[in-house]
Amino acid sequence: MKRKLTMLAMAAAVSTAHAAVERIQVVERVPFAPGVTFGEYGAYEKIRGIAYYALDPKAAANASIVDLKKAPRDKQGRVLFSSEFVLLRPTAAQPTTLLYDVNNRGNIAILGQVNGRSPANNDPATAADAGDGFLMRHGFSLLFSAWTWDVAPTAPAAGTAPRPLVFAPPVAKGVKGKVQNEFTVNAPTDIVTYAGMRGLTYEPATPNDPHAQLTERARQGDQRKPIPRSAWRFVEPELKGGPGRVQLEGGFKPDTIYEITYVARDPYVTGAGLAGIRDLLSYFRDHPFEGAPAPRNVLMFGISQSGRLIGRMMHDGLNVDEGGKLVFSGAYLQVPGAGGSAGFNSRFAQPTRHPSMMEEHDYPADAFPFTSAPTRDSATGKTASTLDKARDKQGKLPKLFYANTSTEFWNRGASLIATTPDGERDVAPAENVRVYGFMGAQHYVGRSNKRAPFTACVSTTDHYLPMRALIVALDDWTVKGKQPPASAYPQLADGTLTTVADYRAIFPKGLGITPPEQNLREPRLNFGRRFDTQGIADTVPPKHGDDFETRVPTPDADGNDKGGVRLVELQAPLGTHTGWNLRAPDTGFAWATSRFDGSFVPFARTEAERVAAGDPRPSLEARYANRDAYVAAVRTAAGQQVAAGLLLPEDVERSLKENVGLYDRILARDPSDQGCDYLFAR
């Protein structure tokens, strides 16, 4: 049946041209989660296809795409390319909200975090792949497409066919430039890849380039020490099409930042991937497709790298199509850190890369402006906002949610989206923007039951529940005009945002964990005079100016962050949840934080245990008279979240189960056991 439907779908390929979308080819059309119906929206189907694009390098709408004019063109002077897409939608022909999920490193992300199940092989097909069906029960049509090229291949497991959504962008043939890659190791090794996290990079224009340079240093601000060229060599990729590697005599060691620099050639026109998203959404926004009407609404959603991509699209005006219309009415940027106003659209861009405490401080992932309302940078005298180019021809802007966890305040400069660049004053979000801080949460919901490679157990807060509520709220805001939850994030004015020095002074002693020396202070980079206007780096590595000042949430007497969204775990706490977790000394850089993880330290069970341990925090016994009292506290906290619009009534029982389950496991745990197995239900 599947093969028959696929053949019929291929025969029914759409060839209508619209704006920059030349045509849509359907290559597969099959039931999604066969036999399952999702509430009033019924059964769903999956359509897999290919979108074919043609961009005019002379069009004003494409002027911001770096190196587009250097890409090969057809006889009409257009740059041609294509990208694969996947669409999940109700089979009944009814208008729905089209929710575009920006894939993360080729992988579908929203289903794992919002529905609770990442699709097997990155190919949503079965009832299991639908998770709890949340997005389907709420009637969203889900669209995914390829937009980035720098995804490293992985060895397929037996019997599987991994299908990452990887983009083949146009190439600026013959262009050369210097490229630098930074890497570290967690254990001694002779051979290592030098690309970004699970990514690809540009390889040397000259094989085994004799003029390439390899350096080492202990911290980002230290002087680079050259390693003799005779002591190292380039090595073939481990997998065909994978990133290159280097081999060093005596081996690479932890606690060291290595950097390799060489001349590369033929950069990808990476910004074409952003234009492809723009034009695909423009097409679906206006066109009935395969028997279904055009959507009633179009939204975008992105997690981490994917959220930063949305920020870059708006920074470059690539959220407005060639006809001058917004391609999405609203967007949700989840854990984007400082917002992503750089990266993604420059010569030799590598979207996989981004800075954290110890690495990648020379990659342009974030740059001024950071705020949605105009802000002045006192260092340069410039005044700007992230939305200066994001208006349509009628002057409208999309409605936006920015949501960060505590970890992004420590590791990704999150405070900058609501402060001045010097960190001295709050900057209120623009009228079309809401900002949320999920306090005590980490970049993703914790799942590790081991301390390694960090010093503490990971945080257990579940910020995926307010994410679900906010997705529904964004749809209601953009379709019905219903006001969403008010912004809730740490601020300087009310003392819930502070310096790292103050945090360290306030944080309670005797918990067995010590706060970091510093959070990420976003670097101010100078790549030369052409970078800001043309996206071309002439200075590699870049010169550094004074860092942008970043702040962190203020801790309370328990060590839990103040301000922001008060998750149930912080209103009815079982311990201290932080946004940071220090690296284990044997992995190197013991002073630095984990890139993505927070910490959790439970309260003592009884007052006697608390006194014996020297723990300054009241025990569970002192806070909750018994289990029933704790259950009541969780219900009260969940009710407050529902009233605030940050928890859906359907998710109250899930929150209760998660939190009461942890309460039971803490009481059953031997406090002398320093393992982390008790954190999560088996």
Side-chain angles (χ1 to χ4, degrees):
M1 180 66 177
K2 177 177 177 179
R3 182 177 179 183
K4 181 178 179 181
L5 283 172
T6 300
M7 292 174 68
L8 289 172
M10 291 179 70
V14 177
S15 60
T16 305
H18 173 73
V21 174
E22 288 274 275
R23 62 189 176 96
I24 299 286
Q25 178 188 4
V26 174
V27 298
E28 180 183 49
R29 187 175 183 182
V30 296
F32 169 70
V36 177
T37 56
F38 299 95
E40 64 182 282
Y41 293 94
Y44 265 61
E45 65 178 346
K46 176 177 68 176
I47 299 175
R48 187 180 291 276
I50 301 172
Y52 294 88
Y53 306 93
L55 293 182
D56 179 1
K58 297 180 181 179
N62 300 325
S64 65
I65 303 173
V66 173
D67 283 337
L68 184 63
K69 293 181 178 180
K70 294 185 177 296
R73 308 183 198 184
D74 68 0
K75 293 179 180 179
Q76 286 77 45
R78 306 170 306 170
V79 177
L80 306 180
F81 58 96
S82 64
S83 68
E84 181 185 4
F85 70 85
V86 178
L87 174 66
L88 305 179
R89 69 179 190 184
T91 55
Q94 56 182 312
T96 63
T97 290
L98 180 67
L99 179 57
Y100 181 89
D101 173 43
V102 183
N103 81 71
N104 191 297
R105 295 171 175 83
N107 294 312
I108 292 169
I110 195 171
L111 292 176
Q113 294 201 1
V114 176
N115 278 29
R117 174 65 180 255
S118 295
N121 306 319
N122 202 44
D123 183 23
T126 67
D129 292 334
D132 70 355
F134 175 85
L135 291 164
M136 293 79 183
R137 287 186 283 105
H138 286 270
F140 291 102
S141 293
L142 303 175
L143 180 63
F144 320 93
S145 71
W147 64 269
T148 190
W149 60 271
D150 65 334
V151 179
T154 56
T160 66
R163 304 182 74 171
L165 291 164
V166 179
F167 179 54
V171 176
K173 287 285 188 180
V175 174
K176 291 186 177 182
K178 189 178 287 188
V179 168
Q180 60 88 221
N181 291 281
E182 191 178 274
F183 58 94
T184 61
V185 298
N186 289 337
T189 184
D190 292 334
I191 300 175
V192 65
T193 63
Y194 46 84
M197 183 174 58
R198 300 195 305 275
L200 295 174
T201 185
Y202 292 95
E203 300 300 336
T206 302
N208 201 30
D209 185 351
H211 301 293
Q213 295 180 321
L214 179 66
T215 66
E216 61 182 355
R217 64 194 193 277
R219 294 205 182 195
Q220 287 287 339
D222 292 352
Q223 184 174 355
R224 294 168 171 84
K225 298 178 181 178
I227 297 174
R229 185 65 180 85
S230 59
W232 64 275
R233 67 185 183 93
F234 287 94
V235 178
E236 291 296 315
E238 187 174 8
L239 294 175
K240 183 180 180 180
R245 300 181 293 167
V246 283
Q247 183 175 23
L248 176 64
E249 291 180 6
F252 298 97
K253 56 186 182 295
D255 241 8
T256 303
I257 299 170
Y258 296 96
E259 183 178 86
I260 188 167
T261 307
Y262 50 80
V263 172
R265 64 179 298 162
D266 299 341
Y268 292 118
V269 183
T270 308
L274 283 61
I277 294 173
R278 175 197 68 185
D279 295 332
L280 187 63
L281 292 183
S282 178
Y283 180 92
F284 277 108
R285 180 197 62 204
D286 295 339
H287 277 66
F289 181 68
E290 291 290 299
R296 64 172 186 171
N297 191 28
V298 178
L299 302 176
M300 280 192 78
F301 177 86
I303 299 168
S304 191
Q305 175 204 49
S306 307
R308 292 187 287 112
L309 174 131
I310 299 172
R312 182 68 199 207
M313 286 181 68
M314 293 186 293
H315 177 273
D316 289 348
L318 292 173
N319 64 308
V320 179
D321 66 18
E322 292 183 348
K325 296 173 63 177
L326 296 176
V327 298
F328 54 84
S329 61
Y332 183 161
L333 290 74
Q334 172 67 17
V335 292
S341 57
F344 302 108
N345 185 22
S346 56
R347 183 173 290 177
F348 293 110
Q350 300 171 53
T352 289
R353 298 174 63 183
H354 68 277
S356 63
M357 272 291 289
M358 70 180 190
E359 63 258 287
E360 298 283 28
H361 287 205
D362 287 337
Y363 187 76
D366 304 289
F368 178 84
F370 301 100
T371 56
S372 57
T375 311
R376 183 177 183 274
D377 181 5
S378 58
T380 63
K382 295 180 180 178
T383 298
S385 84
T386 57
L387 303 179
D388 288 345
K389 298 179 181 179
R391 295 182 184 274
D392 68 6
K393 63 182 180 182
Q394 277 83 39
K396 292 192 303 182
L397 287 167
K399 294 177 170 61
L400 305 171
F401 288 169
Y402 291 81
N404 280 301
T405 71
S406 291
T407 295
E408 282 75 54
F409 284 86
W410 283 94
N411 295 331
R412 289 294 290 113
S415 64
L416 286 169
I417 67 173
T419 69
T420 51
D422 58 10
E424 294 297 323
R425 298 187 308 280
D426 294 313
V427 177
E431 290 185 3
N432 62 306
V433 174
R434 299 292 183 271
V435 175
Y436 306 102
F438 297 142
M439 296 298 92
Q442 62 179 43
H443 190 72
Y444 41 65
V445 169
R447 50 183 176 262
S448 174
N449 62 353
K450 302 181 185 302
R451 290 178 183 263
F454 315 120
T455 58
C457 296
V458 300
S459 180
T460 61
T461 52
D462 186 355
H463 62 277
Y464 295 168
L465 295 181
M467 282 171 58
R468 286 156 66 109
L470 287 175
I471 288 171
V472 174
L474 182 61
D475 193 34
D476 286 344
W477 191 19
T478 50
V479 172
K480 303 174 184 178
K482 180 181 178 181
Q483 286 296 309
S487 292
Y489 58 94
Q491 300 181 55
L492 297 165
D494 62 9
T496 56
L497 193 67
T498 191
T499 64
V500 172
D502 281 345
Y503 183 99
R504 287 169 59 87
I506 297 168
F507 192 79
K509 310 297 188 293
L511 274 62
I513 58 174
T514 302
E517 302 170 2
Q518 183 60 55
N519 68 328
L520 174 69
R521 299 174 71 223
E522 289 280 349
R524 190 187 294 269
L525 305 178
N526 182 352
F527 288 92
R529 61 181 178 80
R530 295 193 294 172
F531 191 77
D532 288 345
T533 57
Q534 301 177 51
I536 300 171
D538 296 305
T539 305
V540 178
K543 295 179 181 178
H544 281 236
D546 292 336
D547 292 339
F548 296 104
E549 290 292 339
T550 52
R551 303 289 185 244
V552 296
T554 306
D556 62 17
D558 287 330
N560 285 314
D561 292 339
K562 294 181 178 181
V565 174
R566 309 307 296 161
L567 298 173
V568 169
E569 291 88 344
L570 267 65
Q571 292 188 55
L574 294 171
T576 298
H577 299 267
T578 76
W580 50 266
N581 200 332
L582 290 172
R583 290 171 58 93
D586 60 346
T587 65
F589 308 102
W591 53 269
T593 54
S594 160
R595 207 167 196 171
F596 303 116
D597 299 80
S599 304
F600 176 67
V601 180
F603 298 137
R605 297 179 300 180
T606 65
E607 281 297 287
E609 286 181 358
R610 180 190 71 79
V611 172
D615 190 333
R617 305 165 301 166
S619 65
L620 291 175
E621 176 184 66
R623 294 167 189 267
Y624 313 106
N626 50 40
R627 187 179 190 273
D628 288 344
Y630 178 69
V631 170
V634 173
R635 285 201 179 276
T636 298
Q640 292 174 346
Q641 287 288 81
V642 171
L646 292 164
L647 183 68
L648 295 172
E650 68 182 88
D651 286 333
V652 169
E653 291 305 313
R654 171 174 155 182
S655 179
L656 185 71
K657 180 180 179 180
E658 290 175 354
N659 285 280
V660 175
L662 180 58
Y663 174 91
D664 291 339
R665 293 192 297 275
I666 290 174
L667 288 188
R669 166 181 170 262
D670 181 346
S672 65
D673 179 6
Q674 293 301 298
C676 307
D677 278 340
Y678 74 96
L679 291 182
F680 308 106
R682 293 183 180 276

